[in-house]
């Protein structure tokens, strides 16, 4: 019985340690659905707060462009706060910006851009980042 208790304690402590190890996660958002935008912003905020030693990047492209539009974003308030964190980057695909005639001035302050959203995600995965597809 003692061995079983010791084994259980070791397993629990191992799980607890695993949850504090820094991680790197890239979030992929393409949906034009405002509910997906709200959900993705919430997930990003919760993860960044829960794991401050970890890194998170939200990559927006295709139909999700309104998520970072300063005037029409339903998640703008959350994103404006979370983008200020040192462990969070929010970027939009420059190809998507061109298609929708967007400029950096029209984005939520702190949001950056990348030449190609899909390429950005692939490179993050190649570097060992975890991948989360935000969809509905």
């Amino acid at each position: 019985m003692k061995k079983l208790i010791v084994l259980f304690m070791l397993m629990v402590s191992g799980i607890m340690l695993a949850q504090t190890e820094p991680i790197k996660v890239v979030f992929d958002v393409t949906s034009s659905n405002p509910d997906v935008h709200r959900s993705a912003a919430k997930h990003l905020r919760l993860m960044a707060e829960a794991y401050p030693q970890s890194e998170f990047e939200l990559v927006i492209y295709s139909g999700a462009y309104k998520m970072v539009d300063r005037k029409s974003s339903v998640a703008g308030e959350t994103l404006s706060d979370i983008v200020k964190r040192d462990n969070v980057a929010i970027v939009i695909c420059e190809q998507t910006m061109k298609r929708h005639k967007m400029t950096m001035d029209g984005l939520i302050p702190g949001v950056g851009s990348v030449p190609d959203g899909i390429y950005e995600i692939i490179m993050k995965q190649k570097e060992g980042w975890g991948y989360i597809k935000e969809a509905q």
Side-chain angles (χ1 to χ4, degrees):
M1 183 68 166
K2 279 186 177 182
K3 286 183 181 182
L4 194 56
I5 293 172
V6 170
L7 180 62
F8 178 75
M9 297 285 283
L10 286 172
M11 287 174 50
V12 169
S13 65
I15 290 169
M16 290 173 62
L17 287 175
Q19 291 178 346
T20 59
E21 183 177 327
I23 57 174
K24 295 180 180 184
V25 179
V26 61
F27 291 83
D28 174 348
V29 185
T30 60
S31 175
S32 61
N33 185 332
D35 290 336
V36 173
H37 299 177
R38 285 185 199 94
S39 179
K42 182 179 92 174
H43 294 155
L44 180 64
R45 179 180 57 79
L46 291 172
M47 291 290 293
E49 289 172 356
Y51 305 100
Q53 300 304 315
S54 296
E55 293 180 58
F56 303 94
E57 182 170 290
L58 179 69
V59 179
I60 296 151
Y61 61 103
S62 191
Y65 68 95
K66 287 186 179 180
M67 185 175 182
V68 291
D69 184 303
R70 183 188 300 230
K71 294 179 182 173
S72 65
S73 177
V74 297
E77 188 175 323
T78 301
L79 294 177
S80 292
D81 289 338
I82 198 68
V83 77
K84 295 173 186 172
R85 296 183 66 94
D86 291 336
N87 64 335
V88 173
I90 301 173
V91 297
I92 183 170
C93 171
E94 292 171 5
Q95 299 304 315
T96 296
M97 290 178 67
K98 285 179 190 175
R99 261 193 315 281
H100 297 284
K101 297 176 176 49
M102 297 178 78
T103 64
M104 293 301 289
D105 292 338
L107 301 179
I108 293 168
V111 172
S113 68
V114 293
D116 185 302
I118 295 170
Y119 184 81
E120 177 73 6
I121 291 167
I122 291 169
M123 293 310 295
K124 291 294 184 191
Q125 288 179 298
K126 187 177 177 183
E127 295 169 4
W129 287 55
Y131 172 82
I132 303 293
K133 173 67 176 175
E134 293 281 354
Q136 186 172 6

